């Protein structure tokens, strides 16, 4: 754990090539690049912990790679200096890194950036690509590999294409009958 002033980085699992102080320096750079003034705390833990947090706060009983917890706007003045917290599953980060051919340390940074963008108010589920564009811009600026939203696009496109084929198939049969 690193607590430098009011910033907290907690490592519950070690990552080769990434120390708490290195991650804190990255989070500071990413926060500034995202124009987020307030502090971001980061928890790097396992999939069981992320599953528990996901179930508790989002009602989804499954592990996930990254969760963001923005500070409530009604928080007291002193607490408003905290943008929020980001929790990262090192287990999922390790799997992503192996699959995508980069280091676990880089994957944790990619996940941290994604979480920071959520704390800055972006929401890729509802913003018509605004977060994806910002994530891509910041990834280039921070010299990171492919971001989360870009990875989801091929999968989402494949699902959409399959659904279109499924919808077309029955109507095509009716025409030939």
């Amino acid at each position: 754990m690193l607590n430098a002033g009011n910033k907290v980085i907690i490592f519950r699992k070690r990552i080769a090539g990434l120390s708490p102080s290195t991650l804190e320096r990255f989070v500071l750079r990413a926060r500034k690049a995202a124009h987020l003034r307030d502090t971001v705390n980061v928890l790097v833990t396992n999939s069981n912990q992320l599953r528990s947090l996901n179930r508790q706060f989002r009602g989804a009983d499954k592990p996930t790679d990254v969760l963001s917890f923005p500070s409530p706007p009604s928080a007291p003045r002193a607490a408003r200096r905290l943008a929020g917290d980001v929790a990262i599953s090192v287990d999922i980060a390790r799997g992503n890194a192996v699959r995508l051919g980069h280091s676990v340390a880089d994957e944790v940074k990619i996940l941290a950036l994604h979480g920071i963008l959520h704390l800055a108010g972006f929401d890729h589920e509802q913003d018509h690509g605004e977060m994806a564009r910002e994530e891509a811009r910041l990834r280039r600026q921070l010299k990171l590999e492919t971001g989360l939203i870009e990875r989801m696009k091929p999968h989402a496109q494949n699902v959409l294409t399959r659904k279109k084929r499924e919808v077309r198939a029955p109507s095509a049969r009716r025409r030939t009958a």
Side-chain angles (χ1 to χ4, degrees):
M1 178 172 132
L2 172 71
N3 184 351
N6 60 357
K7 299 169 192 92
V8 177
I9 306 291
I10 300 172
F11 271 57
R12 293 226 170 114
K13 290 194 85 169
R14 291 182 183 257
I15 301 165
L18 188 66
S19 68
S21 60
T22 302
L23 182 57
E24 178 164 5
R25 284 190 302 274
F26 173 80
V27 167
L28 180 61
R29 286 185 11 235
R31 203 184 79 197
K32 286 181 179 179
H35 306 292
L36 187 61
R37 285 190 215 160
D38 299 328
T39 300
V40 173
N41 296 324
V42 179
L43 169 66
V44 179
T45 189
N46 61 40
S47 288
N48 289 336
Q49 178 92 50
L50 266 283
R51 179 181 187 161
S52 177
L53 291 169
N54 206 16
R55 182 177 48 243
Q56 182 179 354
F57 292 101
R58 299 185 71 228
D61 190 14
K62 61 182 183 175
T64 189
D65 47 9
V66 61
L67 291 170
S68 297
F69 301 96
S71 290
S74 61
R77 184 164 180 78
R80 278 187 269 164
R81 292 189 177 144
L82 176 67
D85 304 308
V86 173
I88 297 170
S89 167
V90 75
D91 301 326
I92 294 175
R94 186 171 286 113
N96 289 346
V98 167
R99 185 172 44 84
L100 296 166
H102 57 252
S103 72
V104 178
D106 282 348
E107 182 65 17
V108 168
K109 290 176 183 178
I110 290 165
L111 295 172
L113 174 61
H114 188 84
I116 288 167
L117 286 170
H118 278 299
L119 295 180
F122 290 93
D123 183 356
H124 54 84
E125 294 178 3
Q126 299 180 4
D127 69 8
H128 306 289
E130 185 180 354
M131 182 173 175
R133 288 185 295 277
E134 185 67 1
E135 186 174 273
R137 182 184 75 76
L138 294 180
R139 248 188 335 85
R140 286 188 300 274
Q141 182 179 336
L142 297 167
K143 297 175 179 40
L144 293 173
E145 300 286 331
T146 304
L148 256 58
I149 300 169
E150 289 173 318
R151 292 181 210 164
M152 291 188 301
K153 284 181 184 178
H155 173 71
Q157 186 61 41
N158 289 340
V159 169
L160 183 60
T161 302
R162 275 196 304 267
K163 285 183 180 181
K164 283 181 182 177
R165 278 190 230 137
E166 289 168 8
V167 170
R168 287 183 191 150
S171 62
R173 279 189 224 127
R174 277 189 234 129
R175 283 190 213 130
T176 58

